[in-house]
Amino acid sequence: MSDAPSVKSIITPTRLEYEFRVGGAHAEFLASLAEGKLIGKRCPGCEKVYFPARASCPRCGIAMSESVEVSDRGTVTTFCIVRVPSENIDLKLPYCAANILLDGSDLPLIALLQECEAQDVCIGMRVQAVWKPKSEWGPTFENIRYFRPSGEPDVAAEMLGAWI
Ligand SMILES: [Zn+2]
């Protein structure tokens, strides 16, 4: 039996650089974001609009070709109040992450909800995007800092169908 100490772990810095090449639907989606537009794709089979845009419909399995601009306003379909700190997120607790169904889209997206108290968030709350200044826009969804309440009347939960 050796008296030498055993190594149980090591800490070592790592770095990984990679380049992501987007396909046609995503390239159009990202280029439109740089212009302040939110472009989704409509399925020719089920006619659902997916935002962010996808190359093919996950339900029908067919290519999507029609581009559709969706609104930067939408409705909260579900939400999560975060009360646990994370070393990677510098937000005042509690904060809210919400699934938001943008007007003109058939698929909610997850986004940060700010400028309201977490306890005031509700299903059906109308929200709008808060964009960075135009001079900071690029081909990224980070052009939108977060969503905030729009002040419009709440949408009745029954109107949100399968999303709640
Ligand atoms: Zn479809």
Side-chain angles (χ1 to χ4, degrees):
M1 184 174 207
S2 169
D3 290 334
S6 62
V7 176
K8 294 187 176 151
S9 68
I10 61 170
I11 297 174
T12 180
T14 60
R15 181 180 172 95
L16 177 64
E17 291 186 25
Y18 60 92
E19 187 173 302
F20 175 71
R21 295 200 182 260
V22 297
H26 293 115
E28 180 185 5
F29 165 72
L30 293 172
S32 65
L33 281 170
E35 299 172 0
K37 294 180 182 175
L38 305 178
I39 300 296
K41 290 283 190 183
R42 184 187 316 275
C43 172
C46 65
E47 300 191 350
K48 300 282 186 196
V49 173
Y50 289 87
F51 178 85
R54 297 177 182 208
S56 62
C57 177
R59 299 173 80 192
C60 304
I62 56 178
M64 293 199 260
S65 56
E66 182 187 354
S67 298
V68 178
E69 184 170 357
V70 303
S71 176
D72 68 350
R73 289 177 178 251
T75 304
V76 172
T77 58
T78 56
F79 61 95
C80 171
I81 297 174
V82 181
R83 300 178 190 279
V84 179
S86 170
E87 64 184 54
N88 298 326
I89 298 175
D90 187 25
L91 292 170
K92 180 181 165 240
L93 295 175
Y95 67 88
C96 184
N99 278 323
I100 298 169
L101 186 62
L102 295 178
D103 296 349
S105 174
D106 291 301
L107 185 72
L109 60 92
I110 298 173
L112 179 65
L113 190 53
Q114 296 275 273
E115 296 189 34
C116 62
E117 297 298 325
Q119 70 266 15
D120 295 335
V121 177
C122 64
I123 291 173
M125 174 181 267
R126 293 286 296 161
V127 296
Q128 66 185 92
V130 175
W131 293 75
K132 287 181 176 176
K134 191 173 183 177
S135 61
E136 298 176 24
W137 288 357
T140 172
F141 199 70
E142 292 178 357
N143 294 346
I144 294 177
R145 285 187 170 143
Y146 53 82
F147 284 78
R148 70 178 175 206
S150 67
E152 298 164 277
D154 293 345
V155 173
E158 304 82 58
M159 300 300 290
L160 296 173
W163 295 117
I164 58 170

